[in-house]
Amino acid sequence: MTQQMINGAVLCAVYVLFSLGLTLSWGALDVLNLAHGALMMFSAFTAYVVTQHLDLPLALLFVIGVGTAGVCTLLLDVIVFRHIRAKVADKRQSELLTLIAGVGAAGIPVTLAVAYTHDSPFGIGHLDWSSYSLGGGAQISTIQIVIIALGAVLCTALALWVSRTRTGRALRAVAFDGETAELMGVNTRALSAVTMLIAGSLAGLAGMLLVIYLGALTPGSGEPFMLKGFAIIILGSVGSVWGTAIGAVVLAATETVVISQTSGTWVDAISFAIILLVILLRPQGVVGKGLAERV
Amino acid sequence: MPLLEIANVSVRYGAVTAVRDFSGSVGDGDVVVVLGANGAGKSSLLRSIVGLAPKAGGRVTFDGRDITRWRTNRISRAGIALVPEGRRIFSPLSVQDNLLIGGYGNTNRSEKARLLGDIYDRFPVLAERRHRQAGLLSGGEQQMLAFGRALMSSPRLMMMDEPSMGLAPVAVDTVMSTVQSIAASGIAVLMVEQNAAMAQELATSAIVMERGEIIEVDSTGRIKAGVGSLSGFVDLPDEPADH
Amino acid sequence: MSSWYFSHLTLIQGMLISIPLALSVQIALRSGVFSFASIGFYGVGAYGTGILTMRGWPVLPAMLLMIVASGVVAYLMSAPLIRLRGLYLGMVTFAFDLILTVVATNGGELTGGALGLLGVPLGMGTGGLLAAALVAIVLVSQLERRSVGRALVGIKASEELVMSVGVDLKSRKRTVFAISAALGALSGSLYVSTFSTVSPTSAGFTLIITTLTMAVIGGTSSWIGAVIGTVIITWLPTMAATIGEYQHLVYGVVLVLVVMYAPEGVLGALRWLWRRLAPKVRMARPSGGAALAATGPPGGPPPDRGAEAEAEPVPADRVKG
Ligand SMILES: Nc1ncnc2c1ncn2[C@@H]1O[C@H](COP(=O)(O)OP(=O)(O)O)[C@@H](O)[C@H]1O
Ligand SMILES: [Mg+2]
């Protein structure tokens, strides 16, 4: 039982990190980046490629992996998404094109990884972490502690940033009305660049933690995460930081229970079922308010 | 040299030319009113000055600097504030957050706190409701918030796009006295209005636009009611507000 | 000729199978229904037909059953779905597709688990595939041409206008949804009876990308676009032999570029060209076009109404004006 709670908490932390990036760009900039999952995988993949040629300390690998996802997301926004936003006035049409472009962009890192690894799992080592016994046969390893702590700390930091700081306030203004925010002196281009960089970096961090925790990822690992992330965001309302945290807890808990009760192959169906249920019953989200409406 | 100088500015949206070859200037202490029927291009003119509408040609100089190609946020920081048509307040944010966003370019905390205090003194309603959602304010209060938000950037020039639009008569009076006090505090004003009375009382000069072009300029002083073609515009019924 | 035909048989068959699927996405996008559901029904068609024929059903009845069943199920499913805004509909149908792959993986003996179905009886010749593709094309093109089709097209152009004209928007969207699903099921059924196998990943993420690319590259405003897109995507890898394993990378890049620079697709580009050339063609007939041109502002944009009406076989975007 304790062991399952620990496993669930780790899962939850990874989900939070991943989904926060997704919800941030969607809530603030109306960009639902469908390449987010692929870039999460790509961060771990880049680190893996580096380990094939160089022997770098883990911290440096993290910088490389997180940076890769962050910069790729930023470039995607600057080169592609921004172009679409500027060119297409109709909001629905621009959303649709953004989505299609994201799907297309996702194909690039996935194909690179498939070609390099021949579509097989890859890892970056660093598997030996010391464990601590918690009694009753339950154990927690250092990496598990790190993941849970990072999830909690970064989620809190992001919530505070959005609700308490000058730029966070500007982000909420941009989420509601970008043009008027710009009129107030907010450099919306720079702010959206920073937002995308943060969003991508969070995906990258999730990918790096995941590959170390699980030992390996595959080129296709990003896809199910997209849907899990979407389910979490839908549960917690788009753009809501705490809503995302709650959504992640719900999904991780449900999945942990299902894994322990069934053979495990049904686990992926949960997030899809959540998406179907939530969207059909309550499309505005179950908990939390959107980004502009405070945290 | 005037504070704001507009030289041969044109605005085009694809096929539609909204402003054609507009020239004019606003000096320190001036209250310039732009009059014209709906669709005359008044909003487009103001929006093009701050870079929100595309300039097809011409030059805009502010305080001796060519700001024609500047991005909107930089123009705002340089000292031009626009109170946009329809107010455009950030309705999900609190009143205070709206004001703080208005002073976004100002990173000096103590000065910002002082400005905020000034604005609360000037508009006590806003002080009362500072933690309320801005969207819950009445129309008149929202207009005060829009003014306050613009003042937070301590502008040298304030542009206003139909500030009395859609307001009750009492609120219109408040708007008028507010504009007057803003002008009195030394801020140059460039205002678009359809309200004849307001234009008469406040303006030091007036420009009349029709189909994107200037058809009359009165820079001799106060506008007299019924002068020339002015009457044709100022008596137009108010369009229903909001968009 | 015939040796070329035989050495490219798989590609030709693949192309013919893809046409109904590309059409299924095109007809949805064209109607403003951003749905990937037809990809899921592709899986349903493939598995359903495979399972039935492996149990002794003849191919045609099995296919027909799956197509009709998919259409009906989709029609029922669409009631809550079409209320959703574009993006949410996209994600829900995305989830629907992937939930089906999970079901297929967990289907035990019936679906063959992770390996899928193997050794499904072959029941489709190239002639049959060609006939099926043609039927799909005729169906969709007729839909576009007929008044029903015009209303369907109108959904995207201007929901309000169409409603004011009195067309029941909801039932139109639901019909689109059902037809799209039936086309997807048709394509899946063709696939399984041609290549005799299907696995859970067959209807997964890659198929969504590929099909979307086909529809968007060609241009979603008409069935012609879907066909053009299918032809391009089928033959692109053979044209550039070096693409090989980077095929999906190229699709991805192409998809992004098309969205950025030619959101109307190849078809849009062709129309644009035609519009450029059309005035010259019209010079010879100075009736309608010239009269329209006279009303335009001097120096304004060319009043293209006349040209558009003549150039477009389908009155697609005119509902706007
Ligand atoms: N964003 C826009 N896109 C296209 N046309 C516009 C846009 N904004 C304004 N117009 C057109 O430009 C003309 C002038 O509009 P506007 O500047 O709003 O006039 P006013 O403020 O005097 O009512 C009108 O014909 C209007 O339809
Ligand atoms: Mg206006």
Side-chain angles (χ1 to χ4, degrees), chain A residues 3-239:
Chain A
Q3 190 61 56
Q4 275 172 30
M5 280 178 67
I6 292 167
N7 295 345
V10 173
L11 199 61
C12 174
V14 173
Y15 286 171
V16 163
L17 293 173
F18 179 82
S19 314
L20 279 178
L22 202 57
T23 204
L24 204 58
S25 62
W26 190 5
L29 313 173
D30 284 326
V31 172
L32 177 51
N33 177 11
L34 284 194
H36 198 71
L39 288 171
M40 175 194 86
M41 177 283 298
F42 198 59
S43 73
F45 171 74
T46 311
Y48 160 71
V49 172
V50 170
T51 56
Q52 298 292 294
H53 301 284
L54 297 168
D55 192 18
L56 295 181
L58 186 58
L60 212 51
L61 284 179
F62 260 85
V63 171
I64 292 171
V66 172
T68 302
V71 170
C72 287
T73 307
L74 176 62
L75 288 179
L76 191 58
D77 186 57
V78 170
I79 299 173
V80 184
F81 297 155
R82 189 173 288 173
H83 178 96
I84 296 172
R85 265 177 281 164
K87 202 165 128 181
V88 185
D90 178 48
K91 200 175 158 222
R92 277 173 82 183
Q93 185 68 11
S94 133
E95 261 178 6
L96 180 99
L97 292 177
T98 302
L99 226 60
I100 297 176
V103 171
I108 299 167
V110 172
T111 315
L112 287 176
V114 167
Y116 191 91
T117 64
H118 304 290
D119 207 1
S120 46
F122 56 87
I124 62 169
H126 298 281
L127 301 172
D128 39 342
W129 300 84
S130 44
S131 287
Y132 310 94
S133 174
L134 294 174
Q139 287 204 325
I140 189 165
S141 68
T142 321
I143 186 69
Q144 285 180 317
I145 297 173
V146 169
I147 293 176
I148 296 171
L150 273 176
V153 168
L154 288 178
C155 184
T156 312
L158 205 64
L160 290 177
W161 180 59
V162 170
S163 66
R164 298 285 153 80
T165 67
R166 177 170 161 271
T167 43
R169 192 185 301 121
L171 192 68
R172 280 184 284 139
V174 168
F176 180 71
D177 181 351
E179 191 181 85
T180 306
E182 176 86 24
L183 193 57
M184 298 298 126
V186 177
N187 187 342
T188 49
R189 250 194 233 176
L191 190 60
S192 64
V194 169
T195 308
M196 291 310 277
L197 190 65
I198 293 176
S201 303
L202 285 168
L205 186 59
M208 290 301 294
L209 292 172
L210 207 59
V211 75
I212 290 174
Y213 177 56
L214 299 176
L217 290 182
T218 67
S221 291
E223 292 163 36
F225 262 81
M226 265 331 282
L227 280 139
K228 287 173 204 274
F230 191 74
I232 288 166
I233 293 175
I234 291 292
L235 264 174
S237 296
V238 178

Side-chain angles (χ1 to χ4, degrees), chain B residues 35 196 200 216 218 223-235:
Chain B
L35 298 159
Q200 280 170 30
E216 175 130 4
D218 182 340
I223 313 159
K224 290 172 211 82
V227 167
S229 50
L230 264 185
S231 54
F233 294 97
V234 292
D235 289 334

